[in-house]
Amino acid sequence: MHDDRTLVEARLKRVLEERVRPAVHPESVPLEVAVWTAPGEPVPVAEGLAAASGASAPIAVGDLWGAPWGTSWFTVTGTVPERWAGRTVEAILDLGFDENMPGFQCEGLVYRPDGTPVKGLNPRNQWVRVGAPVEGGEEVRLHVEAASNPVILDYHPFLPTKLGDRETAGTTPQYRLARMDLAVFDEAVWQLVIDLEVLGELMMELPVESARRYELLRAIGRALDAIDLQDVGGTAEAARAELAGVLSAPAVPSAHRISAVGHAHIDSAWLWPLRETVRKVARTASNMTALLRDEPDFVFVMSQAQQWAWIKEHRPEVWAEVTKAVAAGRFVPTGGMWVESDTNMPGSEAMARQFVHGKRFFIDEFGVDNDEVWLPDTFGFAAGLPQIIKAAGSRRLLTQKISWSRTNTFPHHTFLWEGIDGTRIFTHFPPVDTYNCSMSGREIAHAAANFKDKGVARHSLAPTGWGDGGGGTTREMVAKAARLRDLEGSATVTWETPSAFFDKAEAEYPHPPVWAGELYLELHRATLTSQARTKRGNRRSESLLREAELWAATAAVRAGFSYPYAQLDRIWKTVLLHQFHDILPGSSIAWVHREAERTYAAVAEELESIIDAAQRALAGPPSGGVVVFNSAPHTRAAVPAGGAARADGSGASGRTAREDGGHVLDNGLLRVEIDGRGLVVSAFDLAAERETVAPGQTANLLQIHPDFPNMWDAWDVDEFYRNTVTDLVEAEEVAPGDEPGSVRVVRSFGASTVTQVLTLPSGAKRLDIRTEVDWHETEKFLKLAFPLDVHAERYASESQYGHVYRPTHTNTSWEAAKFEACNHRFVHVGEPDWGVALVNDATYGHDVTRTVRAGDSGTTTTVRISLLRAPRFPDPETDQGLHRFHHALVPGATIGDAVREGHFANLPERRVPGDAEVAPLVTLDNDAVVVTAVKLADDESGDVIVRFHESRGARARATLTPNFPISAAIPADLLERPLADPHPGGEPVSLRLRPFELVTLRLVRGR
Ligand SMILES: [Zn+2]
């Protein structure tokens, strides 16, 4: 037979596009449209409806509307023509959508005149059902709350734009009203479209030599013959009859099995401000409750408790529909975090609280205690996470983001992920490689072909629906999934909840492979540095929350202080929200980061006032004395961890001049030489007789690189940035600082200036470096370099509840790809008997390299801290202005010293007028066991919660002594729920911890 395959394929494409799809709505009449534009920010629904009914002005299709970030209330009215009696009728409301970009543009929410929401309007979801069937003559009146969100990520992506902030976006209308009609909906034609799409797309994925491909080709050819192009509606059923045979052929027994999960990945802020997400979530949730009513097999999931809480607070009408669908098991809370946060940068406690507040919301509202974690889009996963997931009472993880890695292909789709402490979490990466699956033949075939675990496992998950304002799952996707349920040549598709999927995946794969350590994303590495003030705000908030809880709990137990439960709960949720995977990473528009700065300032003010009130309650009446509070987990200058003592005098370190205009600082433990250029040429550990700085090199060296990645400006730094570097060695001033034992260095470069104060405190083997940068560069990367005379195969970076090791070499592509990585409070490099730590109070990005040692054939190790970048997309002014950093070089440091100094740098002591000594609420007798939280229980029982972990990666014994009466010490999970019987033997509590083990104890108050 002659092969006419390509002829039929091309025929299908044209007929579908030009004749069949347009025949879905074969007849239409225009609606009358009027518009009222809200003068500023969005108004409440009732206000918008009232204004839209009263003060609207006429607007016509073709007219421009919508200043950037504006809200327009459209009122559409019309009458269903009598001749349409018995037909299905829809309103088609096209606000000026670009169907090629399902999210990221204008959107609407349709209301009835009484204020009940109907559904969202999105680029691929423009219809509103009016009647099925209609009688004819019905009056139609609908209101649309339309948001003219500007397109930030355009066809030419990553171009700097001022549209990302209402203050700079201007008032030029962004959209042109495209279609506002009443139209007949022809169900048979719509079904024919889906049939042809499913079979046509499947056909294109099958091998050209396969018989099934030709069966589909012939059936499609017959169906096209059956269509009368002048009467598609009248011949659609006949065409469908030609396809029924190939549509009913069942899948082969070995077919891949896809659990489709209705989903809309909605970034809690990104190319829009937080307030817009409140509305995006409402629109999508309205769409989904409407779709659930129409489609009995469909299941939709939504993660991020914060987004649920927004609906509850801001859109009670939508919430009512959502809760009904939840009760029916169809609209399913998934995941168990407050937001889908970054997981690299949140500190130990914050990472834990993401789960506490996320899980608690679902438990309190719906009685749902999920065991899966849902993080499809997060930029890499810290190796502390498995233990946190388990301690929250969960045990499964889903993400697909690692498929975005640019260098290496991850070897598994279903596996056990092992964290630093050994906890293993059953993990699935959907092989469909997207969180916006649309049920296309290409996606389904890709999932099946791509699945790395085939042969031993058969199930994968496909998050299905348009995210970010795309409106979620569409009726077309549901219709396609129905045809793919059991279809020869395709993977099978079933709507399921994530937990139903995980049950099957676990059951079929009892011995999955294991991946140990972090899930490093080989992309978006610059998110550890971009928007430095947002990062500082996060770190500062985490430290202040620790202090506020500690001192409020201590004062509550000791002085009857009123513990601010509700206030702390609210502040925690604010801080957790800002750890969302586009806020803390610095990848949002200017509006988001400008607001975040203000929010962090307000958070700091509130927490400072809690801390101050609690400490004053503990310090006693002012008596001329000063009490020093130590919220760090280690004794500091004789003040116990978590306690307070009367202030002591302190010594000083000496400073002498060098001939070259530099200075020598010496405190008897460390002798630091700063040359006439303000660079550290020596840091000599006097007891160990070891030099810290690599021979012939200089530490505290600022280096600046050009930084213009190929794409994703705020997210990415590409490896070639290192090829060009300028060392900032010219100093304008190298002079004694204000404090004793300190030196001040001032440099200018480009349009920027840096002022550094280097201080050697008395009694500490630590050089403090306080850096203030007035930054006015663009597309540059500023690093602070410390070449260390240490030979090291690997180095440690602090992570949640421990640290992770990474190699200093680049033997394989996996190691080479980690050219920029995350640390929390410290990076540590060491030889077995001597090491160096670099600690910080606000930075996360760093790189570590090795160099041949001058004078011999050994190697040295250079640690470089990433201070600032200046990308121009999505915020064209990223990081411009003033920044402050505190770093410290700690020669001779063990990991234990690094842990301690990291805490000290982030938790400075506080001096309060008073006279009282304050004994810590709990004392631990082993410095390796580090307290991360002391607080009152969230159930307001008055019980004290203490959380601690082994911090050095070794086994530890410790005794915990409560310094207040307790009746029991009960092991608990992160949600403070008892895990086991009370500790036997009462108090003090003796403990044995495995490496990095995390423990939560509930100390029940006795009397
Ligand atoms: Zn995202």
Side-chain angles (χ1 to χ4, degrees), residues 357-401:
H357 290 282
K359 293 199 74 158
R360 186 174 290 148
F361 185 88
F362 292 152
I363 291 169
D364 289 351
E365 293 292 337
F366 308 116
V368 170
D369 189 353
N370 281 328
D371 59 11
E372 78 278 351
V373 179
W374 183 270
L375 288 173
D377 193 29
T378 291
F379 310 155
F381 301 86
L385 201 53
Q387 179 171 219
I388 297 170
I389 291 170
K390 190 177 175 197
S394 294
R395 61 195 184 91
R396 295 156 162 178
L397 169 68
L398 179 133
T399 180
Q400 66 79 49
K401 197 66 180 183

Side-chain angles (χ1 to χ4, degrees), residues 100-123:
N100 296 315
M101 287 190 286
F104 320 131
Q105 49 179 305
C106 64
E107 290 176 67
L109 181 52
V110 181
Y111 294 90
R112 294 185 192 90
D114 67 0
T116 50
V118 183
K119 66 188 282 289
L121 287 182
N122 308 92

Side-chain angles (χ1 to χ4, degrees), residues 748-777:
S748 295
F749 57 94
S752 308
T753 53
V754 177
T755 304
Q756 287 189 303
V757 177
L758 287 71
T759 308
L760 186 60
S762 67
K765 210 191 281 184
R766 182 182 84 228
L767 178 66
D768 285 315
I769 301 168
R770 289 188 167 79
T771 305
E772 192 177 291
V773 188
D774 192 13
W775 181 245
H776 298 282
E777 306 304 308

